[in-house]
């Protein structure tokens, strides 16, 4: 029975979101070109650099998924650095949420009453939504990585995951100190971003069971905004930034602690949703 519910969700919801994925594709293409242009401008302003200096594919990925400077958090209430909003990073996460932010309400409104009655358990509907969200968020992340790598290679990126120090200046990350062996840590750091995005998306779905999807979207947006300025474990949006991961840079957030926190929040979102969704009257919505 769960398979039939999930198949219905895929057909009615997941496959109907190709326009939102198209927006995501365009976003990552523009980010790759912005990376190339910003690096080229910085290179022209730094004549001391080697004439063979070039972006690596790691630089392109860092530019797309890196996040913002951790020290910039102090500038929210201080005067040491100019205040800035990390629009690119916020769009990266909010686009992932936007793809599915109304999935639960949309599916509940169009629920197959007979299928639900035969299942006899509304939890299966919720778990089906969770699986759809996991798949679509993973597709979004994979799309971002593939498009970034593809555009980076087309724009002359070197096949390496090493980080060029100039890219840190381009991203205003000069205060971050990357570890010497960046390549071994690059993939797990990138996967941490995926896990954090998925966790935030699951949390948004849970919140949407209490308030309208647009309201839960705004709540999560505010939470992400605060995460950009406070490097605290509670603001786990920090784990969606490669540059703030201690595996990649010194003084970053602890990766092991991040995995624990993200796992607990994800499980709490899934379990809490099962309880709340089981008590919701979605049959009346389906009949209407």
């Amino acid at each position: 029975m769960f398979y039939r519910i999930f198949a219905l969700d895929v057909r009615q919801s997941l496959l109907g979101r190709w326009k939102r994925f198209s927006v995501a594709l365009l976003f990552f293409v523009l980010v790759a070109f912005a990376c190339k242009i910003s690096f080229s401008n910085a290179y022209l302003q730094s004549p001391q650099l080697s004439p063979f200096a070039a972006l690596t594919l790691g630089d392109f990925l860092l530019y797309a998924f890196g996040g913002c400077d951790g020290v910039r958090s102090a500038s929210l209430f201080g005067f040491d650095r100019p205040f800035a909003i990390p629009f690119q990073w916020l769009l990266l996460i909010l686009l992932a949420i936007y793809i599915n932010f109304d999935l639960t309400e949309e599916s509940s409104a169009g629920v197959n009453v007979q299928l639900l009655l035969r299942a006899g358990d509304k939890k299966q509907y919720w778990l089906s939504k969770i699986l759809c969200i996991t798949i679509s968020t993973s597709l979004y992340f994979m799309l971002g990585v593939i498009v970034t790598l593809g555009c980076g290679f087309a724009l002359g990126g070197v096949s390496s995951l090493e980080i060029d120090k100039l890219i840190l200046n381009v991203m205003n990350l000069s205060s971050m100190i990357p570890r010497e062996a960046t390549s071994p840590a690059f993939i797990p750091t990138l996967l941490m971003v995926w896990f954090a995005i998925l966790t935030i998306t699951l949390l948004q779905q849970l919140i949407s069971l209490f308030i309208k999807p647009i309201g839960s979207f705004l709540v999560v947006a505010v939470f992400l905004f605060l995460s950009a300025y406070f490097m605290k474990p509670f603001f786990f949006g920090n784990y969606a930034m490669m540059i703030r991961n201690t595996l990649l840079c010194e003084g970053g957030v602890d990766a092991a602690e991040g995995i624990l926190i993200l796992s607990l929040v994800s499980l709490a979102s899934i379990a809490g949703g099962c309880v709340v969704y089981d008590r919701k009257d979605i049959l009346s919505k389906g009949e209407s």
Side-chain angles (χ1 to χ4, degrees):
M1 184 57 63
F2 176 79
Y3 171 77
R4 292 185 62 188
I5 295 173
F6 176 64
L8 182 67
D9 269 336
V10 171
R11 185 169 63 253
Q12 293 184 346
S13 302
L14 196 56
L15 295 181
R17 281 167 161 70
W18 64 270
K19 290 183 179 179
R20 300 186 185 186
F21 278 102
S22 298
V23 173
L25 188 150
L26 178 60
F27 168 75
F28 285 109
V29 170
L30 293 176
V31 167
F33 275 92
C35 178
K36 178 65 175 180
I37 294 171
S38 299
F39 186 88
S40 298
N41 291 338
Y43 173 76
L44 293 175
Q45 297 172 7
S46 305
Q48 73 277 11
L49 294 177
S50 166
F52 300 104
L55 280 165
T56 66
L57 295 182
D59 291 331
F60 277 100
L61 288 173
L62 185 67
Y63 190 90
F65 298 96
C68 60
D69 197 334
V71 175
R72 191 174 295 276
S73 60
S75 67
L76 185 61
F77 301 108
F79 304 93
D80 57 328
R81 302 189 65 180
F83 176 72
I85 299 176
F87 288 106
Q88 180 184 307
W89 176 77
L90 287 173
L91 282 174
L92 169 72
I93 314 299
L94 292 178
L95 267 176
I97 300 173
Y98 168 69
I99 290 175
N100 292 295
F101 84 102
D102 57 348
L103 177 62
T104 302
E105 183 178 71
E106 178 185 275
S107 298
S108 298
V111 65
N112 187 310
V113 177
Q114 294 300 321
L115 191 62
L116 179 57
L117 290 175
R118 287 183 61 184
D121 185 2
K122 286 183 283 186
K123 296 185 183 71
Q124 293 188 38
Y125 261 82
W126 171 253
L127 294 176
S128 176
K129 309 298 176 288
I130 294 300
L131 186 54
C132 279
I133 290 168
T134 302
I135 293 174
S136 61
T137 303
S138 300
L139 288 175
Y140 170 81
F141 179 78
M142 290 172 59
L143 175 69
V145 172
I146 292 172
V147 171
T148 301
L149 289 175
C151 290
F153 185 77
L155 294 172
V158 178
S159 299
S160 171
L161 293 181
E162 297 295 333
I163 299 173
D164 192 305
K165 291 183 178 180
L166 181 57
I167 198 66
L168 300 180
N169 294 329
V170 170
M171 298 174 64
N172 294 319
L173 300 172
S174 54
S175 67
M176 307 304 288
I177 305 175
R179 299 187 182 280
E180 293 183 3
T182 56
S183 293
F186 206 93
I187 299 302
T189 304
L190 189 60
L191 290 176
M192 179 76 82
V193 174
W194 163 78
F195 192 20
I197 293 175
L198 176 60
T199 300
I200 295 168
T201 305
L202 293 176
L203 178 62
Q204 182 271 329
Q205 287 295 310
L206 175 63
I207 298 174
S208 71
L209 296 179
F210 298 94
I211 58 179
K212 289 292 184 179
I214 189 64
S216 64
F217 185 85
L218 294 175
V219 168
V220 173
V222 172
F223 176 77
L224 288 171
F225 178 81
L226 294 175
S227 295
Y229 298 99
F230 297 96
M231 288 184 65
K232 303 294 183 182
F234 173 77
F235 293 106
F236 48 86
N238 280 279
Y239 302 110
M241 302 187 194
M242 292 182 67
I243 202 65
R244 293 195 185 182
N245 196 311
T246 189
L247 294 175
L248 197 66
C249 287
E250 298 178 9
V253 290
D254 184 73
E257 184 179 54
I259 292 175
L260 177 61
I261 292 175
L262 294 176
S263 298
L264 290 175
V265 174
S266 295
L267 291 174
S269 298
I270 296 172
C274 279
V275 174
V276 176
Y277 203 71
D278 190 49
R279 296 178 179 178
K280 287 180 70 70
D281 181 17
I282 62 176
L283 283 174
S284 59
K285 292 183 179 181
E287 293 170 341
S288 60

